[in-house]
Amino acid sequence: MKICTWNSQGNPYTAPKKIEILNQLYNDNDVLLIQECGDIAKDLQLPDATIWAEGQAGAFNNRCTTCIISKKGGQGGTLDVSSSTGRPAIYLNVMGLNIYTLHATSGNGVPDVMNLFARAEEPFIIGGDMNCSRTAIMDNHGVAGNMTDYIFSGTRSRYGNLGRLVTSERVTHPGSGSELDFFIVSLSLKTECTRRHPVTRSDHYPVCTTIYEYGEETAARTEQSVRKLLERC
């Protein structure tokens, strides 16, 4: 399954060049996670699309709405992540995969991201405008510091979910020179071809990845190895 996240900095249907990007992303992917998309739900003109959107307050009325658009259907919902913005996360269950997105608190998105990660249900992928860096998450939640991409929720002695950071390793927010847009996946999922889209018409680049489910045996071995590493470190 191909998934892409993009902070569109406003409803894409208000700007022709953003419509071009939206159409291209939809053609190239199965599921889109979009932040700051305004009234996109009422304007949507994509064939065979299922959309789950949550109106969220921002700089301009409902500017900070988030949505998930799927070619493969799905059942959606919202999840309170106790964000200082008051914005919840949203999710869509697509073919048994729980796909989450959020627009985290500007300047320090770590608490929002980790609250969502702690509550995500297996198997899951979280993507969005995290408003924090990989390093900011790894400093306190890296299984082995910055030596691996594995992370945990909770504390080392009483940890909850385990997962893996998946990034493009490129700047996604040129204004800050930072990589703020990426994914967290459960250990049962394999990713490949994670990349920053070459064109953006907002202040964020889209980031896309392809995911597969590991077989049960491989997933169990991976989880066992990560648990041992966490307890050792």
Side-chain angles (χ1 to χ4, degrees):
M1 188 182 298
K2 295 180 179 180
I3 299 179
C4 190
T5 182
W6 180 37
N7 181 324
S8 59
Q9 197 184 22
N11 183 350
Y13 285 101
T14 62
K17 290 185 177 180
K18 287 186 181 181
I19 296 175
E20 290 179 12
I21 296 296
L22 177 65
N23 289 339
Q24 182 179 358
L25 294 177
Y26 186 70
N27 288 337
D28 293 345
N29 295 275
D30 299 304
V31 179
L32 303 182
L33 317 176
I34 308 182
Q35 306 84 44
E36 289 196 38
C37 56
D39 287 327
I40 189 173
K42 72 177 186 180
D43 297 327
L44 194 68
Q45 300 172 31
L46 298 173
D48 302 317
T50 295
I51 183 168
W52 182 264
E54 174 73 17
Q56 299 178 10
F60 302 102
N61 300 318
N62 67 343
R63 153 88 171 262
C64 289
T65 292
T66 54
C67 78
I68 301 175
I69 302 171
S70 168
K71 290 179 181 175
K72 297 179 177 292
Q75 295 292 321
T78 61
L79 191 65
D80 181 11
V81 293
S82 301
S83 171
S84 62
T85 66
R87 298 192 292 257
I90 65 172
Y91 64 88
L92 197 68
N93 182 288
V94 180
M95 301 172 63
L97 174 64
N98 294 307
I99 303 173
Y100 299 85
T101 192
L102 81 164
H103 181 195
T105 302
S106 180
N108 181 23
V110 174
D112 296 355
V113 174
M114 296 311 297
N115 284 342
L116 174 53
F117 173 46
R119 299 182 63 189
E121 295 186 6
E122 294 269 359
F124 65 81
I125 179 169
I126 301 167
D129 178 357
M130 308 298 198
N131 268 319
C132 64
S133 67
R134 172 190 182 279
T135 300
I137 292 176
M138 299 302 289
D139 282 347
N140 292 309
H141 295 279
V143 168
N146 281 294
M147 296 172 58
T148 74
D149 289 323
Y150 296 123
I151 61 173
F152 63 92
S153 65
T155 65
R156 287 188 176 274
S157 59
R158 301 185 68 176
Y159 59 85
N161 273 343
L162 298 173
R164 182 167 56 87
L165 285 178
V166 178
T167 72
S168 64
E169 300 182 350
R170 302 285 299 277
V171 169
T172 63
H173 184 248
S176 64
S178 301
E179 183 179 20
L180 303 180
D181 307 82
F182 47 87
F183 302 96
I184 300 173
V185 300
S186 56
L187 298 182
S188 58
L189 299 178
K190 173 184 178 181
T191 59
E192 65 178 27
C193 300
T194 303
R195 65 209 178 279
R196 186 185 73 178
H197 193 272
V199 180
T200 185
R201 300 299 182 187
S202 79
D203 58 346
H204 289 252
Y205 281 93
V207 178
C208 306
T209 194
T210 302
I211 60 173
Y212 304 90
E213 283 198 68
Y214 280 120
E216 289 185 8
E217 185 176 336
T218 303
R221 285 202 306 267
T222 301
E223 181 172 344
Q224 184 179 32
S225 297
V226 173
R227 289 185 184 277
K228 286 182 178 179
L229 183 60
L230 176 60
E231 291 161 4
R232 187 165 66 245
C233 292

